Amino acid sequence: MGMKIGELSRATGTNVETIRYYERIGLLPAPSRTAGNYRDYSQTHLDRLNFVRHARGLGFDIADIRSLLNLAEQPDRDCGEADKIASGHLKSVEAKISRLEQLRSELKHMITQCRGGQVSECRIMEALGDHDHCSTAHVPNGILS
Amino acid sequence: MGMKIGELSRATGTNVETIRYYERIGLLPAPSRTAGNYRDYSQTHLDRLNFVRHARGLGFDIADIRSLLNLAEQPDRDCGEADKIASGHLKSVEAKISRLEQLRSELKHMITQCRGGQVSECRIMEALGDHDHCSTAHVPNGILS
DNA sequence: TATGGTCCCTGTAGCAACTACAGGGTCAAG
DNA sequence: CTTGACCCTGTAGTTGCTACAGGGACCATA
């Protein structure tokens, strides 16, 4: 009746393996199966997967998406929760941007300092080796990811 | 004679487990051992680990750092290679920044659209559910990471 | 000498969010 | 009846760490 996993994959631009992964972690409900044990998806699944892909495209992590999906299933609740999740994510995006801008300027500086020549006099290598020069040491893990 | 792993850890701001991890993947050479089988680090190890931490702080991945370390050991070579690695990294940082800026503006837009009320009329949820609205679909995997 | 506390050792498993097989089954076309 | 495209399960790999478990080493004190 519905669509097979390959069709859902094409319809949403999602890798087949990723769809099965989402099912395994409980992000998508397990669909019914055909006689030959193929997954048989409905419009509901399509909508939900599109929701997930949009949210992932906006960089929400899967925990956030779970919360957003729960909210979507309770249309009468206040949407403050959704706002909170989105605002929190926006903040983390902004933090990443400013961190990356800092990296960009340090890298640019390093690169313009390098005027060619031998490794032994390369400013890039010097900057990396110098113990006291780099402002990027001791950055909490994972802020870049 | 030298320093134990905990001292190296404190001296470089690197987790002990991380130091052992770097040894395991061959990024740091295995140090000699004391009679009690403790790792015994020298100044050379300290320098190398500082180099690695600086480069990681600048967002270089471990493959790049391996290359940079190889270069550092051949001081008479041309430093064009180092320049290439750094420039390539700068480009990827810039790509991430522009991607994140795009996300930021989409998120901001979404959030300002939401005027509170119920989930059923929340613009955030609408935007995520809407099939044709989101410009962030089909982004190559991992460009955000 | 016993005891405690702090360090250190190896080895393995976990995280996020997938991706990539291996080794097999299903189904429609020719 | 075979070919090829698709589908299935299950497991392992990716990156850069982090977090144990279960045990040794070393030093100070009682």
Side-chain angles (χ1 to χ4, degrees), chain A residues 52-84:
Chain A
V52 169
R53 295 311 282 177
H54 287 165
R56 285 294 298 131
L58 285 165
F60 287 96
D61 63 23
I62 282 178
D64 280 352
I65 296 176
R66 263 185 230 279
S67 308
L68 290 169
L69 284 166
N70 281 346
L71 284 177
E73 279 164 2
Q74 309 179 353
D76 50 331
R77 278 188 50 186
D78 188 277
C79 84
E81 193 64 26
D83 194 312
K84 222 165 103 183

Short mmCIF file of all heavy atoms in Angstrom, two decimals, chain A residues 52-84:
data_model
loop_
_atom_site.label_atom_id
_atom_site.label_comp_id
_atom_site.label_asym_id
_atom_site.label_seq_id
_atom_site.Cartn_x
_atom_site.Cartn_y
_atom_site.Cartn_z
N VAL A 52 12.05 15.57 10.91
CA VAL A 52 13.36 15.25 11.45
C VAL A 52 14.48 15.82 10.58
O VAL A 52 15.43 16.43 11.09
CB VAL A 52 13.52 13.72 11.59
CG1 VAL A 52 14.97 13.34 11.91
CG2 VAL A 52 12.60 13.18 12.67
N ARG A 53 14.35 15.64 9.28
CA ARG A 53 15.40 16.11 8.39
C ARG A 53 15.53 17.63 8.41
O ARG A 53 16.62 18.18 8.34
CB ARG A 53 15.17 15.62 6.96
CG ARG A 53 15.27 14.12 6.82
CD ARG A 53 16.50 13.52 7.46
NE ARG A 53 17.70 13.68 6.65
CZ ARG A 53 18.92 13.31 7.01
NH1 ARG A 53 19.10 12.76 8.20
NH2 ARG A 53 19.95 13.48 6.22
N HIS A 54 14.40 18.31 8.48
CA HIS A 54 14.47 19.77 8.57
C HIS A 54 15.18 20.20 9.84
O HIS A 54 16.04 21.07 9.82
CB HIS A 54 13.06 20.37 8.54
CG HIS A 54 12.43 20.30 7.19
ND1 HIS A 54 11.09 20.49 6.97
CD2 HIS A 54 12.97 20.05 5.98
CE1 HIS A 54 10.85 20.36 5.69
NE2 HIS A 54 11.96 20.08 5.07
N ALA A 55 14.78 19.56 10.92
CA ALA A 55 15.38 19.92 12.20
C ALA A 55 16.88 19.61 12.19
O ALA A 55 17.71 20.41 12.62
CB ALA A 55 14.68 19.20 13.34
N ARG A 56 17.25 18.46 11.65
CA ARG A 56 18.67 18.13 11.55
C ARG A 56 19.38 19.14 10.66
O ARG A 56 20.51 19.55 10.92
CB ARG A 56 18.87 16.72 10.99
CG ARG A 56 18.56 15.61 11.96
CD ARG A 56 19.51 15.53 13.14
NE ARG A 56 20.88 15.27 12.74
CZ ARG A 56 21.93 15.96 13.16
NH1 ARG A 56 21.79 16.96 14.00
NH2 ARG A 56 23.13 15.66 12.74
N GLY A 57 18.72 19.51 9.57
CA GLY A 57 19.30 20.50 8.66
C GLY A 57 19.57 21.82 9.36
O GLY A 57 20.52 22.53 9.03
N LEU A 58 18.74 22.12 10.35
CA LEU A 58 18.95 23.34 11.13
C LEU A 58 19.93 23.10 12.28
O LEU A 58 20.20 24.00 13.07
CB LEU A 58 17.62 23.85 11.68
CG LEU A 58 16.72 24.53 10.64
CD1 LEU A 58 15.31 24.68 11.16
CD2 LEU A 58 17.30 25.89 10.26
N GLY A 59 20.44 21.89 12.36
CA GLY A 59 21.49 21.61 13.32
C GLY A 59 21.01 21.16 14.70
O GLY A 59 21.82 20.97 15.60
N PHE A 60 19.69 20.98 14.86
CA PHE A 60 19.20 20.45 16.14
C PHE A 60 19.76 19.06 16.36
O PHE A 60 19.85 18.27 15.41
CB PHE A 60 17.67 20.39 16.15
CG PHE A 60 17.00 21.72 16.25
CD1 PHE A 60 16.56 22.38 15.12
CD2 PHE A 60 16.82 22.32 17.49
CE1 PHE A 60 15.95 23.62 15.21
CE2 PHE A 60 16.20 23.56 17.58
CZ PHE A 60 15.76 24.22 16.44
N ASP A 61 20.09 18.75 17.59
CA ASP A 61 20.54 17.38 17.84
C ASP A 61 19.33 16.47 18.07
O ASP A 61 18.19 16.94 18.19
CB ASP A 61 21.57 17.30 18.96
CG ASP A 61 21.01 17.74 20.29
OD1 ASP A 61 19.79 17.69 20.48
OD2 ASP A 61 21.82 18.14 21.14
N ILE A 62 19.61 15.20 18.15
CA ILE A 62 18.51 14.24 18.14
C ILE A 62 17.70 14.30 19.43
O ILE A 62 16.48 14.13 19.41
CB ILE A 62 19.05 12.84 17.80
CG1 ILE A 62 19.27 12.82 16.27
CG2 ILE A 62 18.08 11.75 18.22
CD1 ILE A 62 19.84 11.57 15.71
N ALA A 63 18.33 14.63 20.53
CA ALA A 63 17.58 14.79 21.79
C ALA A 63 16.57 15.93 21.65
O ALA A 63 15.40 15.80 22.03
CB ALA A 63 18.54 15.05 22.94
N ASP A 64 17.00 17.04 21.09
CA ASP A 64 16.09 18.16 20.86
C ASP A 64 14.96 17.76 19.92
O ASP A 64 13.80 18.14 20.12
CB ASP A 64 16.85 19.34 20.23
CG ASP A 64 17.62 20.14 21.26
OD1 ASP A 64 17.44 19.89 22.47
OD2 ASP A 64 18.40 21.02 20.86
N ILE A 65 15.30 17.01 18.92
CA ILE A 65 14.28 16.63 17.94
C ILE A 65 13.24 15.72 18.58
O ILE A 65 12.04 15.84 18.31
CB ILE A 65 14.94 15.96 16.71
CG1 ILE A 65 15.83 16.99 16.00
CG2 ILE A 65 13.89 15.42 15.74
CD1 ILE A 65 16.61 16.43 14.85
N ARG A 66 13.71 14.85 19.44
CA ARG A 66 12.75 14.03 20.19
C ARG A 66 11.77 14.91 20.95
O ARG A 66 10.54 14.68 20.93
CB ARG A 66 13.49 13.16 21.20
CG ARG A 66 13.76 11.76 20.73
CD ARG A 66 14.40 10.96 21.88
NE ARG A 66 15.61 10.28 21.45
CZ ARG A 66 15.63 9.13 20.80
NH1 ARG A 66 14.49 8.53 20.50
NH2 ARG A 66 16.75 8.56 20.45
N SER A 67 12.29 15.91 21.64
CA SER A 67 11.41 16.81 22.40
C SER A 67 10.45 17.54 21.46
O SER A 67 9.25 17.67 21.76
CB SER A 67 12.24 17.84 23.16
OG SER A 67 13.24 17.20 23.91
N LEU A 68 10.98 18.02 20.37
CA LEU A 68 10.12 18.76 19.43
C LEU A 68 9.03 17.85 18.87
O LEU A 68 7.87 18.27 18.72
CB LEU A 68 10.96 19.33 18.29
CG LEU A 68 11.91 20.49 18.69
CD1 LEU A 68 12.89 20.80 17.57
CD2 LEU A 68 11.10 21.74 19.05
N LEU A 69 9.37 16.61 18.59
CA LEU A 69 8.36 15.67 18.08
C LEU A 69 7.30 15.40 19.14
O LEU A 69 6.11 15.33 18.82
CB LEU A 69 9.03 14.37 17.64
CG LEU A 69 9.77 14.41 16.31
CD1 LEU A 69 10.66 13.19 16.15
CD2 LEU A 69 8.80 14.52 15.15
N ASN A 70 7.73 15.25 20.38
CA ASN A 70 6.75 15.08 21.46
C ASN A 70 5.79 16.26 21.52
O ASN A 70 4.58 16.08 21.63
CB ASN A 70 7.46 14.94 22.81
CG ASN A 70 8.01 13.55 23.01
OD1 ASN A 70 7.65 12.62 22.27
ND2 ASN A 70 8.89 13.39 23.98
N LEU A 71 6.35 17.44 21.44
CA LEU A 71 5.51 18.64 21.46
C LEU A 71 4.53 18.64 20.30
O LEU A 71 3.35 18.97 20.47
CB LEU A 71 6.39 19.89 21.37
CG LEU A 71 7.13 20.26 22.64
CD1 LEU A 71 8.00 21.48 22.39
CD2 LEU A 71 6.13 20.55 23.75
N ALA A 72 5.03 18.27 19.14
CA ALA A 72 4.16 18.31 17.95
C ALA A 72 2.96 17.39 18.11
O ALA A 72 1.92 17.58 17.48
CB ALA A 72 4.97 17.91 16.71
N GLU A 73 3.12 16.39 18.98
CA GLU A 73 2.01 15.46 19.19
C GLU A 73 1.03 15.95 20.25
O GLU A 73 0.02 15.30 20.50
CB GLU A 73 2.57 14.09 19.59
CG GLU A 73 3.03 13.30 18.37
CD GLU A 73 3.93 12.13 18.74
OE1 GLU A 73 4.15 11.90 19.95
OE2 GLU A 73 4.41 11.45 17.82
N GLN A 74 1.34 17.10 20.85
CA GLN A 74 0.42 17.67 21.85
C GLN A 74 0.11 19.11 21.45
O GLN A 74 0.59 20.05 22.08
CB GLN A 74 1.08 17.62 23.23
CG GLN A 74 1.61 16.24 23.56
CD GLN A 74 2.30 16.20 24.91
OE1 GLN A 74 2.50 17.22 25.55
NE2 GLN A 74 2.64 15.00 25.35
N PRO A 75 -0.73 19.27 20.42
CA PRO A 75 -0.91 20.59 19.78
C PRO A 75 -1.55 21.61 20.70
O PRO A 75 -1.50 22.81 20.42
CB PRO A 75 -1.85 20.30 18.61
CG PRO A 75 -2.00 18.82 18.55
CD PRO A 75 -1.63 18.27 19.88
N ASP A 76 -2.15 21.15 21.81
CA ASP A 76 -2.83 22.08 22.71
C ASP A 76 -1.91 22.65 23.79
O ASP A 76 -2.32 23.50 24.56
CB ASP A 76 -4.03 21.38 23.35
CG ASP A 76 -3.65 20.03 23.96
OD1 ASP A 76 -2.69 19.40 23.45
OD2 ASP A 76 -4.29 19.60 24.93
N ARG A 77 -0.68 22.16 23.82
CA ARG A 77 0.22 22.70 24.84
C ARG A 77 0.81 24.04 24.43
O ARG A 77 0.84 24.41 23.25
CB ARG A 77 1.36 21.71 25.11
CG ARG A 77 0.93 20.61 26.07
CD ARG A 77 2.09 19.76 26.50
NE ARG A 77 3.23 20.52 26.99
CZ ARG A 77 4.39 20.00 27.31
NH1 ARG A 77 4.58 18.70 27.17
NH2 ARG A 77 5.38 20.74 27.74
N ASP A 78 1.32 24.73 25.39
CA ASP A 78 1.96 26.00 25.13
C ASP A 78 3.25 25.78 24.34
O ASP A 78 3.94 24.79 24.55
CB ASP A 78 2.30 26.65 26.48
CG ASP A 78 2.78 28.07 26.31
OD1 ASP A 78 3.98 28.24 26.02
OD2 ASP A 78 1.96 28.98 26.42
N CYS A 79 3.54 26.67 23.44
CA CYS A 79 4.71 26.44 22.59
C CYS A 79 5.97 27.06 23.17
O CYS A 79 6.99 27.15 22.49
CB CYS A 79 4.45 26.88 21.17
SG CYS A 79 4.71 28.60 20.88
N GLY A 80 5.89 27.52 24.40
CA GLY A 80 7.07 28.08 25.03
C GLY A 80 8.23 27.11 25.04
O GLY A 80 9.40 27.50 24.90
N GLU A 81 7.91 25.85 25.17
CA GLU A 81 8.94 24.82 25.20
C GLU A 81 9.70 24.77 23.86
O GLU A 81 10.93 24.68 23.84
CB GLU A 81 8.27 23.47 25.47
CG GLU A 81 9.21 22.35 25.83
CD GLU A 81 9.95 22.61 27.14
OE1 GLU A 81 9.43 23.37 28.00
OE2 GLU A 81 11.05 22.07 27.30
N ALA A 82 8.95 24.84 22.79
CA ALA A 82 9.57 24.83 21.46
C ALA A 82 10.47 26.05 21.30
O ALA A 82 11.59 25.96 20.78
CB ALA A 82 8.49 24.81 20.37
N ASP A 83 9.97 27.15 21.75
CA ASP A 83 10.74 28.39 21.68
C ASP A 83 12.04 28.25 22.47
O ASP A 83 13.12 28.66 22.02
CB ASP A 83 9.88 29.51 22.28
CG ASP A 83 10.44 30.88 21.95
OD1 ASP A 83 11.64 31.07 22.15
OD2 ASP A 83 9.67 31.75 21.50
N LYS A 84 11.93 27.63 23.62
CA LYS A 84 13.09 27.45 24.48
C LYS A 84 14.15 26.58 23.78
O LYS A 84 15.35 26.90 23.81
CB LYS A 84 12.66 26.76 25.78
CG LYS A 84 13.30 27.33 27.03
CD LYS A 84 12.58 26.88 28.29
CE LYS A 84 13.31 25.78 29.02
NZ LYS A 84 12.54 25.30 30.22
#
